[in-house]
Amino acid sequence: MKQRTLCSAILVAGLALAGCGSATRPASSPSDSGKVTKLVVWDWKSGDAAAASYIQKAKDDFAKKHPGVTVEFVAQPFDQYYTLLGAAIQAGTGPDVMLFNGGGQIRDRVDSLLPLDQYVAEDKQRLAGWDAFSKDGKIYGAPVTLQGHPIYYNKTLYEKAGLDPASPAKTWDELVDDCATIKQKTGANCFALGNKEGAGIQFFMSGLGSGILTAQEYDDWIAGKRVWDSPNVKQIFKLWKEAGDAKLNNDGANSTAMFNDAFTIFNSGKAAHIIGLMSDIGHWKDFSEFLGADKVGVMPSPVVTSGTTPNLPYDGGIGYAVAKWAKDPKTAADMVRSLTTTDALTSFYSDAGAIASDTTIDVSQGPVAVGTIVSQIKGGKPALHVALSSKTLDLMGRLSQQLLSGSATVDEVVEQLAASDRAS
């Protein structure tokens, strides 16, 4: 999700100028009359076969509204996306419309984006997840998917271990006991975890956070009033280390890529649980193809701190924004609206398995896991890690690796994260 392979400055410049992924300049090509005849869209999805019907429906919708404007989608490699985009922004060039992850990735770049409030007013009630694409009361992107971190489990392993798959653990201690039984009966680990990119700690923090922080602490965290040295915040990182020390995770979590080696471990039945995603990868559809749709369970976070109320952590997942330099902002905003129609998003849900932002899409015919996730959306809260800046997330990824390896203490980690958070 937030994988990053930082290119050298020379390589970045070279890729940007060469148009890595066949980017085309300039965007917003005007005709002789000055009317825009071409839009350029950057993303990392339009090259995926699973997203083909979604993109085509969006193109068709836009073509009906703007028959004289062509649209070029440029699918950039995800691991270089934000580096390339940063280079384009610095150069004052780049696409008219661009895809973002919700949270820090778009909030860190709103100076280069067009506020969309006046263009998306009609979509506000139909779509969910706006907060992840907003800053200081203004909307800078329209959500395409909802991204969250359900805890998935393998019902077949539960059955083989003699556990009731319809009644997963409600507390952390119960989960540890269940995992000991699963390990003894099946040999499977408790969690599939990949932290090679430093993403594993993000999933862990948000997937288990509502069972660790009190409701007030949770809300304060999201509101930016974070007390890093509080006992329950420290508990997140203590539990992360304890789970590693207790070998609840697969071997070599720090050298295992979340995308997609950790998901492969879960799919192969070598781990009973995984904190996965709701968007279009590492989610119910992927797991169902390997484990069977009726064998994929979704459980709330186990309670770690007595008195806490677990909930589904989710935000807007990915969404499209408009660049400030777009020569025709309304036409570019219409492209964003075409990318968030019910018809297009229904295809994204059906073909890619994404939990789309459109609350009117009927998922009643989907697997039980989908119904469980969707039923929890109304009572869900924003994911804890999304509230952090991208710089603090990067630091947290590196420090989480040191925690697992034993080269840093919990106190050292929270002290550094607090300093980074204050500076963000």
Side-chain angles (χ1 to χ4, degrees):
M1 185 175 76
K2 292 182 173 62
Q3 313 159 75
R4 296 176 183 181
T5 301
L6 297 179
C7 305
S8 70
I10 294 175
L11 177 58
V12 168
L15 287 169
L17 292 171
C20 179
S22 301
T24 300
R25 301 290 193 281
S28 291
S29 300
S31 65
D32 293 340
S33 64
K35 187 177 180 180
V36 166
T37 58
K38 178 182 176 183
L39 290 178
V40 174
V41 181
W42 276 21
D43 63 16
W44 61 87
K45 284 298 176 190
S46 55
D48 290 353
S53 62
Y54 159 63
I55 295 295
Q56 188 58 53
K57 287 190 175 181
K59 285 181 176 177
D60 293 344
D61 180 80
F62 182 80
K64 290 177 185 176
K65 299 168 182 171
H66 299 279
V69 181
T70 60
V71 181
E72 180 187 7
F73 276 81
V74 182
Q76 302 283 16
F78 180 79
D79 62 355
Q80 298 171 16
Y81 183 78
Y82 288 109
T83 304
L84 293 168
L85 189 59
I89 288 173
Q90 282 190 335
T93 61
D96 304 286
V97 175
M98 59 199 86
L99 184 64
F100 281 99
N101 294 103
Q105 295 291 9
I106 187 169
R107 289 178 185 140
D108 289 353
R109 297 172 174 85
V110 296
D111 288 346
S112 302
L113 303 177
L114 183 76
L116 296 180
D117 301 74
Q118 64 177 311
Y119 303 110
V120 299
E122 292 180 31
D123 306 323
K124 287 292 297 293
Q125 294 302 314
R126 180 174 55 86
L127 303 179
W130 293 99
D131 286 351
F133 297 94
S134 301
K135 184 175 182 179
D136 298 333
K138 294 181 180 179
I139 295 171
Y140 290 93
V144 170
T145 64
L146 299 180
Q147 184 60 285
H149 300 274
I151 302 176
Y152 296 94
Y153 64 99
N154 182 330
K155 292 184 177 180
T156 299
L157 289 177
Y158 270 61
E159 291 165 351
K160 289 181 177 177
L163 301 173
D164 182 0
S167 183
K170 292 181 173 57
T171 69
W172 178 258
D173 289 342
E174 290 175 359
L175 179 65
V176 172
D177 288 346
D178 285 354
C179 286
T181 301
I182 290 169
K183 182 71 174 180
Q184 180 185 16
K185 299 290 186 180
T186 72
N189 290 113
C190 185
F191 287 108
L193 175 65
N195 199 44
K196 184 177 181 180
E197 316 93 327
I201 184 64
Q202 298 176 24
F203 286 44
F204 188 87
M205 166 181 277
S206 290
L208 297 175
S210 64
I212 298 174
L213 302 186
T214 66
Q216 186 63 57
E217 288 174 329
Y218 200 108
D219 292 343
D220 285 348
W221 178 284
I222 299 301
K225 295 179 277 187
R226 293 181 274 276
V227 184
W228 284 90
D229 59 354
S230 71
N232 284 343
V233 170
K234 284 187 177 181
Q235 181 63 49
I236 295 171
F237 299 96
K238 285 181 179 177
L239 206 66
W240 167 262
K241 178 170 175 51
E242 289 171 7
D245 291 346
K247 300 189 181 304
L248 297 184
N249 309 318
N250 49 268
D251 293 339
N254 271 348
S255 57
T256 302
M258 176 66 77
F259 303 91
N260 291 307
D261 293 347
F263 300 133
T264 299
I265 290 171
F266 181 70
N267 283 332
S268 62
K270 295 179 180 176
H273 308 84
I274 190 168
I275 302 173
L277 297 169
M278 289 164 49
S279 188
D280 54 326
I281 188 172
H283 62 351
W284 64 273
K285 191 175 181 68
D286 286 348
F287 303 149
S288 295
E289 291 175 358
F290 289 90
L291 305 179
D294 62 337
K295 298 300 182 184
V296 178
V298 177
M299 60 186 284
S301 169
V303 171
V304 179
T305 304
S306 179
T308 56
T309 304
N311 57 59
L312 177 68
Y314 81 95
D315 298 87
I318 56 174
Y320 286 92
V322 174
K324 264 187 177 175
W325 53 76
K327 293 183 173 62
D328 186 341
K330 184 180 184 309
T331 300
D334 279 350
M335 186 68 242
V336 171
R337 296 195 68 203
S338 291
L339 285 157
T340 55
T341 63
T342 298
D343 191 32
L345 292 180
T346 298
S347 288
F348 206 23
Y349 159 70
S350 300
D351 295 353
I355 302 296
S357 60
D358 193 318
T359 59
T360 68
I361 294 175
D362 182 9
V363 299
S364 61
Q365 301 304 309
V368 173
V370 173
T372 302
I373 293 170
V374 172
S375 70
Q376 295 176 0
I377 287 174
K378 188 175 181 180
K381 290 188 175 183
L384 293 176
H385 77 273
V386 178
L388 302 176
S389 70
S390 55
K391 287 184 178 178
T392 301
L393 288 175
D394 285 345
L395 176 63
M396 187 166 72
R398 296 193 296 274
L399 293 174
S400 71
Q401 293 168 338
Q402 294 175 23
L403 263 181
L404 279 185
S405 68
S407 60
T409 67
V410 169
D411 286 344
E412 291 170 344
V413 166
V414 296
E415 183 177 351
Q416 292 187 55
L417 291 174
S420 175
D421 193 27
R422 285 193 297 270
S424 298

